[in-house]
Amino acid sequence: MAEQKYRATLSLGGQNRTVWSVIFRHPFRHDRGKPGKRVRRSLGTTDKEQAQKLVDQANLLLSDSKWWSPAMREQADRLFAKEIVAAFYDELAPIPRDGWQLRESIIPVSTPDDGYSRVLLLGTTGAGKTTLVRQLIGTGIRTEKFPSTSTAKTTTCDIEIITSDSDEYRVVVSFLPKDHIRQYVEECVIATAISFLEKERYELTCRRLLEHTEQRFRLSYVLGTLATAQLDEEEEEDAEEEVDRESALSAEERALLAEALRGYLDRVQSVAIAASKKLEGSLSFSLETANQDDRDTFEELLEDSLRDEEEFHELLDAIMDDIESRFALLAGGDLTLGHGDWPELWSYSCPISERTDFIRRINRFTSNQAVQFGTLLTPLVEGIRVQGPFAPSWNGGTTPKLVLMDGEGLGHAASATLSLSTRVTKRYQVADVILLVDNAQQPMLATPNSALRSIVASGQQSKLILAFTHFDQMRGPNLPNRLAKEQHVLASLDQSIGVLGKEMGRGVENALKKITPERSFFLSNLQDQIPTPPEKQSQRHTVESLGRLLATIEALGAPKVPEAVTAVYDDANLILSIRKAILEFREPWRARLGLPSPSDFRPEHWTRVKALTRRLGDLGQDEYDNLRPVADFIACLLGHVRPFLESPLRWEPASGATDEMMNHAIDRIAQEVSIRLHELAADRVMRDRVVKWKEAYAHRGIGSTYVRRREVEAIYGEAAPVPGETADPPANEFLREIRVLLRDAIDAAGGKLEGLSSITVQRGAV
């Protein structure tokens, strides 16, 4: 009798290593382009005999190919335990997941109908937007460290804060899916293995494990560090934040964490050496003797060699178990489990008398304090929503009705990008106010200009407010007083607006220059608690500016809709704009992929291109770090559609239309276009081509890097074909979709588009 190809085995895992898990290779889930993806799922029991019975059921499923179809799940439900059915049939495709909606199910966001203003904060990393949030909610004191701040790169999840007059504090936290966390851990372990083989310094090798290259995911927060000493008094005095000694780990606890980390590092080194020796036996070179091209090949083959080793997966399992055990530190509240029994949500509420304890609890999800490393859940958090009576003391104790939406700083990525993440741009429609925070010392550089361009192209300029921080740190012989400083910043803003006007039309420029002087606020010393009443002149200026800022937010939260006029368009010039937009999208990506291109973007390292293909193919994400093909597609099209919208064929009625009425009409259309483009881009670039992204990721061996780059370029060629002068069915179909999208958006926003009857006939006609 032939040996069974797929078999399930028992494994101890989960919190405290007392819960049994089942491990098997899945017969029709793919890994690296072939069946046999490794699956490990908790069985939810500490009883070995009961667990073995469940594993026996799994082996029945694995031994008979009649069960190897998603269509058989219903029948399997009647015959097998739910734990085994879930392990076998769950996650056959990326599961759509919306953290915002998960949080919304526990704490709904208040709306203008409730008298609230929803404020989306954008700003360059380190500009001070989170510090501004603290001032607006009254937590800008050293003993209350929420949200967490540091010199840079602190906020890595979405944070929504709802101020209210309620008699309780509430919080809900949504967590990243388990497969996303495991992917981060796997990439950290592989980077550590390569570091060992390259004989890097031990401290650097350790950092490879504890800090992902994206710098959003830091295992040190969850697992601790090798440093066992407490923060000394001198360092504490230099710290910007007061250290939370009550939540700090003891020296003994730190020593245990460091010992566990050294154990992980030893295991990484062991599996790396074993995999490297196997690989050297089949190649004519080693990592030490390889040239650069051979090194790339060796490293990619090493990844595959590691993934073929059960010891490698056992190491990942151990780290994931260690991470999961940290959820046991959550005292109180409700923990909701999702697929695979991985925590999906945590919610908690308490009376207002317990504010100090409440903030300490939620800081476990946002803190970056070194004395708490080993107990924090910060890297695991997708989003956090807090509601309660937060009120700044400088506002007389009055609680403003605000929903503050903070998130990752623009520019967390190491290099400039074409676009803002879709996580940001999707929030434009939810927001009543978009508050762009920038550093007054170096105002309106590349990143805030990209944000401003995105806001305008999306038709959201009427929501714009600007806050310039670090105003107290402006120095120079040409800046003798406050007025001179303000004019210096506004001049930089005017220059940026002028550039936008050349790109998108004089109407955009005129509208922005009209509103920005009254909506620009200059703030000093936001990191300090402002006494009541303020003592210094700079404090009085800041309080006055913050007060006007709140008043402006409130006014924008309940806007007056001007009398309507109708914009009438003809799409005769649209095709040329679309061609320019697609070239603007495609050429930088050709450069990133190392293909011939006039763009000055540098080629991306093969590991980053590979990571991108896995995100879009396996994990259902539309970006990796600053590689954002979906967002780039949206930004390029919006950037070239906006000038088209700025120049309608005529207005109806022909007379009586004011600039305000026309700007409002065009903005409404741009907003509708933006909503529809987000869906079109996600479909064309990602969802419709998931299989091709998977295939691009699956390539292995010598020459695979080049093949993968070519296939990614081919994906973009199908998703966004460049319209040419000759007949091209795919390009014609793409143009048809864009024109229909524009027609529908213009109609929905109350405009008219003429000359489009021909696009509604058979598919492919233009």
Side-chain angles (χ1 to χ4, degrees):
M1 183 175 177
E3 183 180 353
Q4 184 179 328
K5 181 177 180 181
Y6 297 103
R7 292 199 62 85
T9 58
L10 264 183
S11 170
L12 270 178
Q15 296 182 8
N16 300 320
R17 303 289 185 98
T18 60
V19 178
W20 290 98
S21 297
V22 60
I23 297 176
F24 61 93
R25 292 282 179 176
H26 202 289
F28 61 92
R29 288 184 65 187
H30 284 64
D31 179 34
R32 293 170 284 165
K34 56 186 178 182
K37 181 177 178 65
R38 185 179 186 274
V39 175
R40 179 176 185 261
R41 292 288 288 266
S42 170
L43 295 173
T45 180
T46 58
D47 186 322
K48 184 176 181 180
E49 184 177 348
Q50 181 183 355
Q52 185 59 56
K53 290 179 180 179
L54 293 173
V55 170
D56 292 341
Q57 289 190 26
N59 278 317
L60 287 175
L61 280 173
L62 292 167
S63 65
D64 191 344
S65 60
K66 80 172 187 179
W67 299 107
W68 299 358
S69 167
M72 295 297 292
R73 178 164 188 160
E74 185 176 346
Q75 187 173 342
D77 277 327
R78 295 194 293 268
L79 298 176
F80 301 100
K82 66 179 189 302
E83 294 88 354
I84 296 303
V85 173
F88 195 77
Y89 291 101
D90 278 357
E91 302 176 12
L92 296 181
I95 301 171
R97 185 178 181 279
D98 189 334
W100 175 280
Q101 290 302 325
L102 289 173
R103 299 191 294 278
E104 191 77 2
S105 67
I106 306 297
I107 304 178
V109 163
S110 303
T111 68
D113 293 338
D114 307 311
Y116 277 77
S117 299
R118 297 164 298 186
V119 184
L120 174 64
L121 289 99
L122 302 180
T124 308
T125 297
K129 61 185 177 63
T130 304
T131 305
L132 175 56
V133 168
R134 284 186 172 192
Q135 288 290 358
L136 293 175
I137 66 175
T139 58
I141 58 178
R142 288 175 65 85
T143 56
E144 291 190 340
K145 293 165 282 297
F146 175 75
S148 294
T149 61
S150 70
T151 53
K153 301 187 180 181
T154 307
T155 306
T156 58
C157 70
D158 294 327
I159 300 177
E160 299 109 32
I161 302 171
I162 306 171
T163 61
S164 71
D165 292 321
S166 63
D167 58 0
E168 66 175 357
Y169 288 104
R170 302 175 65 198
V171 60
V172 58
V173 181
S174 59
F175 300 105
L176 290 167
K178 186 176 184 177
D179 57 345
H180 291 196
I181 299 297
R182 190 179 180 95
Q183 175 66 22
Y184 279 127
V185 173
E186 182 177 308
E187 289 169 350
C188 287
V189 169
I190 289 172
T192 307
I194 293 172
S195 182
F196 269 123
L197 296 176
E198 291 184 337
K199 296 181 172 55
E200 292 184 328
R201 288 182 296 107
Y202 191 75
E203 295 80 3
L204 182 56
T205 300
C206 180
R207 196 179 80 196
R208 304 285 189 217
L209 179 65
L210 296 179
E211 185 173 302
H212 192 274
T213 54
E214 281 191 69
Q215 294 189 317
R216 292 184 178 96
F217 185 78
R218 296 179 173 94
L219 271 174
S220 56
Y221 286 31
V222 186
L223 302 183
T225 67
L226 293 182
T228 59
Q230 296 277 17
L231 186 70
D232 63 37
E233 293 182 2
E234 182 179 350
E235 288 173 324
E236 181 176 344
E237 289 175 1
D238 292 339
E240 292 185 7
E241 300 290 348
E242 181 175 310
V243 174
D244 187 354
R245 289 290 181 186
E246 188 172 335
S247 300
L249 277 72
S250 67
E252 293 78 12
E253 290 171 322
R254 288 173 174 273
L256 288 173
L257 291 173
E259 182 180 355
L261 279 177
R262 280 190 285 271
Y264 291 141
L265 287 164
D266 289 344
R267 292 177 68 178
V268 174
Q269 185 176 29
S270 174
V271 73
I273 292 172
S276 178
K277 286 182 177 178
K278 281 187 180 181
L279 193 56
E280 289 173 12
S282 61
L283 296 174
S284 59
F285 57 87
S286 66
L287 189 61
E288 292 180 352
T289 62
N291 58 35
Q292 186 57 54
D293 289 340
D294 288 342
R295 287 176 69 86
D296 290 347
T297 299
F298 190 95
E299 288 182 12
E300 184 162 18
L301 291 174
L302 178 67
E303 287 189 26
D304 286 340
S305 182
L306 287 170
R307 291 191 177 101
D308 288 336
E309 296 294 327
E310 188 60 26
E311 185 182 351
F312 173 76
H313 293 286
E314 289 174 356
L315 172 58
L316 296 181
D317 291 342
I319 295 175
M320 289 297 296
D321 288 345
D322 209 352
I323 291 171
E324 188 176 358
S325 71
R326 298 306 190 267
F327 288 104
L329 299 173
L330 297 175
D334 296 317
L335 189 64
T336 303
L337 302 181
H339 287 283
D341 292 333
W342 180 260
E344 186 172 71
L345 288 175
W346 180 79
S347 57
Y348 178 77
S349 63
C350 68
I352 59 175
S353 59
E354 299 177 13
R355 173 173 170 135
T356 300
D357 178 68
F358 177 78
I359 290 179
R360 179 172 286 116
R361 285 174 183 266
I362 61 178
N363 273 339
R364 188 179 297 279
F365 306 101
T366 64
S367 178
N368 58 354
Q369 287 208 6
V371 295
Q372 296 176 285
F373 282 3
T375 64
L376 299 176
L377 299 176
T378 307
L380 313 181
V381 175
E382 176 191 57
I384 178 170
R385 184 171 296 178
V386 179
Q387 183 181 53
F390 294 100
S393 58
W394 50 261
N395 197 40
T398 302
T399 303
K401 290 188 173 183
L402 299 174
V403 178
L404 299 172
M405 298 180 287
D406 192 12
E408 184 180 30
L410 308 178
H412 262 211
S415 61
T417 63
L418 280 174
S419 55
L420 274 62
S421 170
T422 54
R423 289 197 310 168
V424 173
T425 56
K426 285 179 180 178
R427 297 285 177 260
Y428 289 171
Q429 297 299 327
V430 179
D432 305 300
V433 175
I434 300 174
L435 180 54
L436 181 57
V437 182
D438 196 19
N439 189 334
Q441 292 178 281
Q442 297 175 314
M444 302 310 296
L445 298 180
T447 302
N449 276 322
S450 295
L452 185 62
R453 186 178 190 271
S454 171
I455 292 166
V456 171
S458 302
Q460 304 290 343
Q461 64 199 50
S462 62
K463 301 177 181 179
L464 178 64
I465 296 178
L466 297 108
F468 293 97
T469 59
H470 302 291
F471 195 69
D472 53 296
Q473 297 176 25
M474 292 184 69
R475 301 284 188 274
N478 60 325
L479 305 173
N481 53 43
R482 183 179 182 84
L483 180 60
K485 294 177 182 179
E486 290 182 1
Q487 293 303 313
H488 177 77
V489 174
L490 289 175
S492 296
L493 178 58
D494 281 346
Q495 184 179 21
S496 297
I497 292 172
V499 172
L500 269 181
K502 293 177 181 177
E503 292 180 12
M504 298 187 182
R506 291 296 298 275
V508 166
E509 180 178 357
N510 293 336
L512 283 174
K513 285 186 175 180
K514 182 177 180 180
I515 65 174
T516 50
E518 297 178 355
R519 297 191 194 174
S520 297
F521 300 90
F522 305 93
L523 306 169
S524 302
N525 300 112
L526 287 178
Q527 72 279 2
D528 298 332
Q529 183 179 4
I530 302 175
T532 305
E535 299 170 353
K536 300 179 181 178
Q537 183 66 25
S538 61
Q539 292 172 341
R540 286 191 287 272
H541 278 304
T542 295
V543 168
E544 186 270 336
S545 294
L546 288 171
R548 288 192 298 109
L549 174 61
L550 282 181
T552 304
I553 289 172
E554 182 178 355
L556 290 183
K560 296 179 181 178
V561 179
E563 188 177 345
V565 291
T566 300
V568 181
Y569 295 93
D570 187 315
D571 72 336
N573 296 321
L574 183 60
I575 295 177
L576 183 59
S577 296
I578 299 305
R579 175 180 169 79
K580 290 179 179 177
I582 297 308
L583 286 172
E584 187 177 293
F585 167 66
R586 295 282 301 279
E587 290 300 345
W589 270 105
R590 286 184 59 83
R592 284 177 169 137
L593 295 170
L595 302 174
S597 170
S599 174
D600 58 0
F601 276 73
R602 293 183 177 180
E604 294 288 344
H605 193 269
W606 65 268
T607 55
R608 287 170 52 79
V609 177
K610 183 178 177 181
L612 176 69
T613 59
R614 186 167 192 184
R615 261 59 176 191
L616 275 77
D618 289 343
L619 300 181
Q621 297 174 288
D622 67 3
E623 64 183 40
Y624 170 70
D625 197 17
N626 66 320
L627 302 181
R628 301 168 178 162
V630 174
D632 290 347
F633 182 94
I634 295 166
C636 292
L637 280 169
L638 281 178
H640 286 274
V641 166
R642 180 70 197 219
F644 166 77
L645 297 179
E646 284 288 320
S647 304
L649 186 65
R650 63 179 184 276
W651 290 95
E652 294 179 355
S655 61
T658 65
D659 287 344
E660 183 182 10
M661 293 162 62
M662 291 188 289
N663 289 335
H664 179 73
I666 293 171
D667 284 347
R668 281 193 304 167
I669 295 171
Q671 290 170 21
E672 289 289 341
V673 171
S674 177
I675 293 171
R676 286 163 170 77
L677 270 181
H678 274 77
E679 285 302 309
L680 178 71
D683 285 343
R684 292 194 68 93
V685 176
M686 183 176 69
R687 290 192 284 254
D688 293 349
R689 291 168 175 81
V690 166
V691 173
K692 291 186 179 295
W693 284 109
K694 287 177 179 288
E695 291 172 350
Y697 168 69
H699 288 296
R700 296 296 184 271
I702 297 173
S704 61
T705 298
Y706 178 78
V707 174
R708 183 180 299 112
R709 292 176 183 272
R710 283 290 184 184
E711 290 200 359
V712 171
E713 164 63 9
I715 291 172
Y716 294 151
E718 293 178 8
V722 180
E725 297 178 356
T726 59
D728 180 355
N732 288 346
E733 172 60 22
F734 174 60
L735 279 173
R736 189 195 73 86
E737 287 191 49
I738 297 294
R739 295 171 74 187
V740 170
L741 180 150
L742 276 171
R743 180 197 62 188
D744 292 346
I746 290 170
D747 287 347
K752 295 180 181 179
L753 184 58
E754 297 182 343
L756 280 176
S757 58
S758 61
I759 71 168
T760 59
V761 294
Q762 67 183 37
R763 185 174 178 84
V766 178

Coordinates of all heavy atoms in Angstrom, one line a residue, residues 398-436:
T398 N -14.0 72.7 28.5 CA -15.0 72.3 27.5 C -14.6 71.2 26.6 O -13.5 71.3 26.0 CB -15.5 73.5 26.7 OG1 -15.9 74.6 27.6 CG2 -16.7 73.2 25.8
T399 N -15.4 70.2 26.4 CA -15.1 69.1 25.6 C -15.6 69.4 24.1 O -16.8 69.4 23.9 CB -15.8 67.8 26.0 OG1 -15.4 67.5 27.4 CG2 -15.4 66.6 25.1
P400 N -14.7 69.6 23.2 CA -15.1 69.8 21.8 C -15.6 68.5 21.2 O -15.2 67.4 21.5 CB -13.8 70.3 21.1 CG -12.7 69.7 21.9 CD -13.2 69.6 23.3
K401 N -16.6 68.6 20.3 CA -17.2 67.5 19.7 C -16.3 67.1 18.4 O -16.6 67.6 17.4 CB -18.6 67.7 19.3 CG -19.5 67.8 20.5 CD -21.0 67.8 20.1 CE -21.9 67.7 21.3 NZ -23.3 67.7 21.0
L402 N -15.4 66.2 18.7 CA -14.4 65.9 17.6 C -14.3 64.4 17.4 O -14.4 63.6 18.4 CB -13.0 66.5 17.9 CG -12.9 68.0 18.1 CD1 -11.5 68.3 18.5 CD2 -13.2 68.7 16.7
V403 N -14.0 64.0 16.2 CA -13.5 62.6 15.9 C -12.1 62.9 15.3 O -12.1 63.4 14.1 CB -14.4 61.8 15.0 CG1 -13.8 60.5 14.7 CG2 -15.8 61.7 15.6
L404 N -11.1 62.6 16.0 CA -9.7 62.8 15.5 C -9.2 61.5 14.9 O -9.1 60.5 15.6 CB -8.8 63.3 16.6 CG -9.2 64.7 17.2 CD1 -8.4 65.0 18.4 CD2 -9.2 65.8 16.2
M405 N -8.8 61.5 13.6 CA -8.3 60.3 13.0 C -6.9 60.5 12.6 O -6.5 61.2 11.7 CB -9.2 60.1 11.7 CG -10.6 59.8 12.0 SD -11.6 59.5 10.5 CE -11.7 61.2 9.8
D406 N -6.0 59.9 13.4 CA -4.6 59.9 13.3 C -4.1 58.6 12.7 O -4.8 57.6 12.7 CB -3.9 60.2 14.7 CG -2.5 60.6 14.6 OD1 -2.0 60.9 13.4 OD2 -1.8 60.6 15.6
G407 N -2.8 58.6 12.2 CA -2.3 57.4 11.6 C -0.8 57.6 11.4 O -0.2 58.5 11.8
E408 N -0.3 56.6 10.6 CA 1.1 56.6 10.3 C 1.5 57.9 9.6 O 0.8 58.4 8.7 CB 1.4 55.4 9.4 CG 2.9 55.3 9.1 CD 3.1 54.1 8.2 OE1 2.3 53.7 7.4 OE2 4.2 53.5 8.3
G409 N 2.7 58.5 10.0 CA 3.1 59.7 9.4 C 3.5 59.5 7.9 O 4.0 58.5 7.5
L410 N 3.2 60.5 7.1 CA 3.7 60.5 5.7 C 5.2 60.5 5.7 O 5.8 61.4 6.3 CB 3.1 61.6 4.9 CG 1.6 61.8 5.0 CD1 1.1 63.0 4.2 CD2 0.8 60.6 4.6
G411 N 5.8 59.7 4.9 CA 7.2 59.7 4.8 C 7.9 58.7 5.8 O 9.1 58.7 6.0
H412 N 7.1 57.7 6.3 CA 7.7 56.6 7.1 C 8.6 55.8 6.1 O 9.6 55.3 6.6 CB 6.6 55.7 7.6 CG 6.3 56.0 9.1 ND1 5.9 55.0 10.0 CD2 6.4 57.1 9.8 CE1 5.8 55.5 11.2 NE2 6.0 56.8 11.1
A413 N 8.2 55.8 4.9 CA 9.1 55.1 3.9 C 10.4 55.8 3.7 O 10.5 57.0 3.9 CB 8.3 54.9 2.6
A414 N 11.4 55.1 3.3 CA 12.7 55.6 3.2 C 12.9 56.6 2.1 O 13.8 57.4 2.0 CB 13.8 54.5 3.2
S415 N 12.1 56.4 1.0 CA 12.2 57.3 -0.2 C 10.9 57.9 -0.6 O 9.8 57.4 -0.1 CB 12.8 56.4 -1.3 OG 11.9 55.4 -1.6
A416 N 11.0 58.9 -1.4 CA 9.8 59.5 -1.8 C 8.9 58.6 -2.7 O 9.4 57.8 -3.4 CB 10.1 60.8 -2.6
T417 N 7.6 58.8 -2.7 CA 6.7 58.0 -3.5 C 5.8 58.9 -4.3 O 5.7 60.1 -4.1 CB 5.8 57.1 -2.6 OG1 5.0 57.9 -1.8 CG2 6.7 56.2 -1.7
L418 N 5.2 58.2 -5.3 CA 4.3 59.0 -6.1 C 3.0 59.3 -5.4 O 2.3 60.2 -5.8 CB 3.9 58.1 -7.4 CG 4.9 58.1 -8.5 CD1 4.5 57.1 -9.6 CD2 5.1 59.5 -9.2
S419 N 2.6 58.5 -4.4 CA 1.3 58.6 -3.9 C 1.2 58.3 -2.4 O 2.1 57.8 -1.8 CB 0.5 57.5 -4.6 OG 1.1 56.2 -4.5
L420 N 0.0 58.7 -1.9 CA -0.3 58.4 -0.5 C -1.0 57.0 -0.5 O -1.7 56.6 -1.4 CB -1.2 59.4 0.1 CG -0.6 60.7 0.7 CD1 0.2 61.5 -0.3 CD2 -1.7 61.6 1.4
S421 N -0.8 56.3 0.6 CA -1.4 55.0 0.8 C -2.9 55.1 0.6 O -3.5 56.1 1.0 CB -1.1 54.4 2.1 OG -1.8 53.3 2.4
T422 N -3.5 54.1 0.1 CA -5.0 54.0 0.0 C -5.6 54.0 1.3 O -6.8 54.3 1.5 CB -5.4 52.8 -0.8 OG1 -4.9 51.6 -0.3 CG2 -5.0 52.9 -2.3
R423 N -4.9 53.5 2.4 CA -5.4 53.6 3.7 C -5.7 55.0 4.1 O -6.7 55.3 4.9 CB -4.4 53.0 4.7 CG -4.2 51.5 4.7 CD -3.6 51.0 5.9 NE -2.4 51.7 6.3 CZ -1.8 51.6 7.4 NH1 -2.2 50.8 8.4 NH2 -0.7 52.3 7.7
V424 N -4.9 56.0 3.6 CA -5.2 57.4 3.9 C -6.2 58.0 3.0 O -7.2 58.6 3.4 CB -3.8 58.2 3.7 CG1 -4.1 59.7 3.8 CG2 -2.8 57.7 4.7
T425 N -6.1 57.8 1.7 CA -7.0 58.4 0.7 C -8.4 58.0 0.8 O -9.4 58.7 0.5 CB -6.5 58.3 -0.7 OG1 -6.3 56.9 -1.0 CG2 -5.1 58.9 -0.9
K426 N -8.6 56.7 1.3 CA -10.0 56.2 1.5 C -10.7 57.0 2.6 O -11.9 57.0 2.7 CB -10.0 54.7 1.8 CG -9.8 53.9 0.6 CD -9.8 52.4 1.0 CE -9.5 51.5 -0.2 NZ -9.5 50.1 0.1
R427 N -9.9 57.6 3.5 CA -10.5 58.3 4.7 C -11.0 59.7 4.3 O -11.7 60.4 5.1 CB -9.5 58.4 5.8 CG -9.1 57.0 6.4 CD -10.2 56.4 7.3 NE -9.8 55.1 7.7 CZ -10.2 54.0 7.2 NH1 -11.0 54.0 6.2 NH2 -9.8 52.8 7.7
Y428 N -10.6 60.2 3.1 CA -11.0 61.5 2.7 C -12.5 61.7 2.7 O -13.0 62.7 3.1 CB -10.5 61.8 1.3 CG -9.0 62.1 1.1 CD1 -8.4 62.1 -0.2 CD2 -8.2 62.2 2.2 CE1 -7.1 62.4 -0.3 CE2 -6.8 62.4 2.0 CZ -6.3 62.5 0.8 OH -4.9 62.7 0.6
Q429 N -13.2 60.6 2.2 CA -14.6 60.7 2.1 C -15.3 60.7 3.5 O -16.4 61.3 3.7 CB -15.2 59.6 1.3 CG -14.7 59.6 -0.2 CD -15.1 60.8 -0.9 OE1 -16.2 61.4 -0.7 NE2 -14.3 61.2 -1.8
V430 N -14.7 60.1 4.5 CA -15.2 60.0 5.8 C -15.0 61.3 6.6 O -15.9 61.7 7.4 CB -14.6 58.9 6.6 CG1 -15.1 58.8 8.0 CG2 -14.8 57.5 5.9
A431 N -14.0 62.0 6.2 CA -13.6 63.2 7.0 C -14.4 64.4 6.6 O -14.8 64.6 5.4 CB -12.1 63.5 6.8
D432 N -14.7 65.3 7.6 CA -15.3 66.6 7.3 C -14.2 67.7 7.2 O -14.4 68.7 6.6 CB -16.2 67.0 8.5 CG -17.3 66.0 8.7 OD1 -18.0 65.7 7.8 OD2 -17.3 65.4 9.8
V433 N -13.0 67.4 7.8 CA -11.9 68.3 7.8 C -10.6 67.5 7.6 O -10.5 66.4 8.2 CB -11.7 69.0 9.2 CG1 -10.5 69.9 9.2 CG2 -13.0 69.9 9.5
I434 N -9.7 68.0 6.7 CA -8.4 67.3 6.5 C -7.4 68.3 7.1 O -7.2 69.4 6.5 CB -8.2 67.0 5.1 CG1 -9.2 66.0 4.5 CG2 -6.8 66.4 4.9 CD1 -9.1 65.7 3.1
L435 N -6.8 68.0 8.2 CA -5.8 68.8 8.8 C -4.4 68.4 8.5 O -3.9 67.4 8.9 CB -6.0 68.8 10.3 CG -5.1 69.6 11.2 CD1 -5.1 71.1 10.8 CD2 -5.5 69.5 12.7
L436 N -3.7 69.2 7.6 CA -2.4 68.9 7.2 C -1.4 69.6 8.1 O -1.4 70.8 8.2 CB -2.2 69.4 5.7 CG -0.8 69.2 5.1 CD1 -0.5 67.7 5.1 CD2 -0.8 69.7 3.6

